[in-house]
Amino acid sequence: MTIRLYVPRDAAAVACGADEVVVALKIAAIAAKFDIEIVRNGSRGLHWLEPLVEVVTPEGRIGYGPVEPEDAAALIAAFAGDGSHKLRVGKPEELPFLKRQTRLTFARVGIVDPRDLDDYKAHGGLKGLEKAIALGPAAIVEEVTKAGLRGRGGAGFPTGIKWKTVADAKIDRKNPADRKYIVCNADEGDSGTFADRMLMEGDPFCLIEGMAIAGVATGATKGFVYIRSEYPHAVAAMNAAIDKARRANILGTKILGSSYVFDMEVRVGAGAYVCGEETSLLESLEGNRGTVRAKPPLPAHKGLFGKPTVINNVLSLATVPVIVADGAEAYRNFGMGRSRGTMPIQLAGNLRYGGLFETAFGITLGELIDDIGGGCSTGRPVRAVQVGGPLGAYFPRELFDTPFDYEAFAARDGLIGHGGIVVFDVTVDMRRQARFAMEFCAIESCGKCTPCRVGAVRGAETIDKIIAGKEVARNIAVIEDLCQTMKFGSLCALGGFTPYPVLSAIRHFPEDFHGTPLRVAAE
């Protein structure tokens, strides 16, 4: 009898030694004359258990983790026996971290073999595309609009409105070179974020299906996935999946036997943070240096190569198949206010249980940090939480009652961004966190606009004076004035959002700026 094992090929698991564990398991199985089959799946997102090895049993998949190579022989013996082992965690889906989730976008991640199209179909894949082809363009756009899906890349702009704008855009039908484009922004560069990478590595066919649906809905015939160069595993996964999808007629001419045409390819960025901004990304795709374009015109009217272009984040496009397959109303039933559906939240930093947690909008920040994340891994109290990447605001414990909702965060001068949460304990110096924001902006600025290019450099210099105790009150006033200039004068969100971490640090942690920081010394 052959036993099937699942060991993630996800980059996080590989970084924790998953490849070495696979080799060790194969060697141990040969030594024990025990037949095994290893499937390299995506990560379940329970990062403190990686590498998580799962074995298929009559009762379902049973997890063991975190596994080291030296555990291999004992694990093989356990698989051949009653399954008892100190690393056994039981059925992963029964663990509280997974059991409390509502996985829609990530429903298949960690479950399927990301390189197996038949496995994808067996778990509901392509139902959305098949239904989309039957519905037609206008009805698809209507479904996405009614679902209330908003951009998961940070801005939260309604996806349906963007699609309708591109669908209604006129192109010259007499010129066969004219076309519309779907561009997937996979340039995931925010600190504490990894959902895009996990989705592409763990369920790449889902992104392909979402982009194909977008193509059918808007009349676009070509798509690009722009992936940052730091994600080689995601690049390999997407290229392999695109090749298989093309051979299965999911991409190309007459997709799934219909009259629609859509093909796509991967493009790899050079790692510039500013290329996460949509117009900089377009410049890079066209072969130019990644600099921000002034708007208008919007990319929906004049985007890639001057043609109408949909630019969506990985999570936005990967959510479309479930919306179309199950209907807009089913998706709208989750969430609160104008924030409908679910959000894949990434828990990182000084946290006991870090990982991917997908849930409906409305859960509070405190629940995410204290209950689900388990507080700081150091055992010290949580002091600050940054939500939304390096340009997100710092929230103190007094704001932990904030619901995870676009409008609720905006009302408290915060950002949800890409859904990344980074936790800090009481040893953090908020002056240096504020300085880091300015320094980061100065390094990553494309240099096109003065508020961002010059403001960030002057901001870092001014915070250095505050740290040195020089004219603190006066220099804080200078920083606050500078932040207003950057917020309202910058061409894009890089300069425009840098004030969020700076001002929130000053506002919520004044003791660090006006006197001796009230921090607990590291043990």
Side-chain angles (χ1 to χ4, degrees):
M1 182 178 68
T2 301
I3 298 296
R4 173 175 287 190
L5 306 179
Y6 286 82
V7 184
R9 67 165 80 234
D10 178 271
V14 169
C16 293
D19 288 349
E20 291 80 3
V21 167
V22 166
V23 172
L25 286 170
K26 289 179 178 179
I27 293 172
I30 292 171
K33 297 181 180 180
F34 189 72
D35 291 331
I36 62 172
E37 174 196 358
I38 297 180
V39 177
R40 303 304 300 274
N41 58 323
S43 172
R44 296 263 197 167
L46 296 85
H47 287 166
W48 70 97
L49 290 177
E50 293 293 4
L52 176 66
V53 175
E54 297 178 56
V55 57
V56 177
T57 74
E59 293 75 38
R61 283 159 62 167
I62 303 298
Y64 296 79
V67 175
E68 300 286 347
E70 52 265 31
D71 299 317
L75 281 174
I76 292 296
F79 301 155
D82 64 0
S84 298
H85 192 279
K86 63 180 180 180
L87 297 179
R88 180 181 171 126
V89 297
K91 295 181 178 180
E93 61 270 16
E94 293 299 321
L95 294 173
F97 191 88
L98 274 179
K99 196 169 186 178
R100 291 188 58 175
Q101 296 190 41
T102 301
R103 287 206 163 186
L104 300 181
T105 307
F106 277 73
R108 284 176 294 267
V109 177
I111 305 294
V112 299
D113 179 350
R115 306 294 174 96
D116 189 336
L117 183 55
D118 290 333
D119 201 10
Y120 178 69
K121 293 177 183 178
H123 287 82
L126 297 186
K127 288 183 178 178
L129 181 56
E130 290 168 352
K131 186 176 176 181
I133 289 171
L135 286 173
I140 299 170
V141 173
E142 180 64 20
E143 280 293 291
V144 173
T145 303
K146 287 194 300 184
L149 178 65
R150 296 169 69 174
R152 297 292 188 253
F157 189 82
T159 303
I161 293 176
K162 185 179 290 188
W163 284 21
K164 189 175 190 310
T165 304
V166 173
D168 291 344
K170 303 301 181 183
I171 59 177
D172 183 3
R173 298 294 182 183
K174 295 179 181 179
N175 185 348
D178 278 343
R179 54 167 49 171
K180 299 177 183 179
Y181 294 98
I182 306 296
V183 173
C184 175
N185 183 348
D187 192 63
E188 185 177 54
D190 286 349
S191 49
T193 59
F194 42 83
D196 288 359
R197 178 193 57 72
M198 277 185 63
L199 192 287
M200 289 186 290
E201 292 177 13
D203 193 13
F205 293 111
C206 181
L207 177 57
I208 293 170
E209 183 178 1
M211 291 185 69
I213 292 172
V216 172
T218 61
T221 56
K222 181 71 174 182
F224 293 94
V225 185
Y226 185 92
I227 306 177
R228 62 191 302 104
S229 59
E230 292 89 341
Y231 282 178
H233 298 82
V235 171
M238 286 306 305
N239 278 326
I242 289 171
D243 182 59
K244 289 185 177 180
R246 194 175 288 128
R247 285 189 275 123
N249 207 30
I250 297 167
L251 296 173
T253 59
K254 299 183 178 179
I255 59 176
L256 293 184
S258 70
S259 60
Y260 297 103
V261 176
F262 185 78
D263 204 354
M264 58 185 285
E265 63 183 83
V266 169
R267 292 288 178 88
V268 181
Y273 181 80
V274 76
C275 285
E277 193 278 333
E278 60 181 14
T279 62
S280 291
L281 186 155
L282 292 178
E283 286 291 318
S284 180
L285 267 180
E286 291 177 4
N288 304 316
R289 180 171 176 267
T291 57
V292 177
R293 296 177 182 175
K295 292 183 284 189
L298 297 170
H301 294 126
K302 189 177 180 181
L304 186 62
F305 303 117
K307 305 304 178 185
T309 304
V310 167
I311 307 178
N312 281 139
N313 169 263
V314 171
L315 302 181
S316 305
L317 290 163
T319 302
V320 168
V322 71
I323 290 174
V324 178
D326 296 342
E329 197 59 37
Y331 189 77
R332 279 194 63 85
N333 286 337
F334 298 100
M336 64 176 286
R338 290 175 52 206
S339 300
R340 310 312 307 177
T342 62
M343 182 71 182
I345 299 167
Q346 298 118 99
L347 302 175
N350 192 337
L351 202 60
R352 193 181 304 276
Y353 302 118
L356 190 286
F357 192 90
E358 182 178 356
T359 189
F361 285 99
I363 189 171
T364 67
L365 192 56
E367 287 178 272
L368 288 166
I369 303 306
D370 297 326
D371 191 5
I372 294 160
C376 287
S377 58
T378 58
R380 301 188 185 100
V382 176
R383 188 181 189 212
V385 173
Q386 187 175 35
V387 182
L391 307 182
Y394 290 101
F395 276 23
R397 179 163 287 282
E398 291 74 26
L399 298 182
F400 277 18
D401 62 339
T402 308
F404 210 83
D405 163 81
Y406 288 101
E407 280 65 47
F409 265 73
R412 291 182 167 181
D413 294 324
L415 304 165
I416 282 180
H418 188 41
I421 297 178
V422 180
V423 179
F424 301 84
D425 71 12
V426 289
T427 63
V428 67
D429 184 341
M430 297 309 297
R431 299 171 304 178
R432 298 198 178 277
Q433 293 303 120
R435 188 194 186 285
F436 171 75
M438 286 294 188
E439 181 185 28
F440 180 84
C441 181
I443 293 170
E444 297 295 344
S445 174
C446 76
K448 189 165 185 176
C449 67
T450 303
C452 177
R453 182 184 70 250
V454 177
V457 175
R458 295 293 171 256
E461 292 172 351
T462 306
I463 295 176
D464 280 339
K465 294 177 183 177
I466 294 172
I467 293 172
K470 298 178 181 178
E471 298 182 274
V472 172
R474 176 179 176 277
N475 280 313
I476 286 177
V478 170
I479 282 290
E480 291 174 338
D481 184 62
L482 178 61
C483 282
Q484 294 304 308
T485 300
M486 293 178 68
K487 185 175 182 178
F488 296 106
S490 298
L491 273 176
C492 81
L494 177 55
F497 284 178
T498 295
Y500 280 90
V502 177
L503 294 176
S504 62
I506 294 171
R507 176 183 177 186
H508 298 305
F509 306 94
E511 62 274 14
D512 282 22
F513 292 85
H514 292 281
T516 303
L518 301 178
R519 296 178 288 117
V520 176
E523 296 177 1

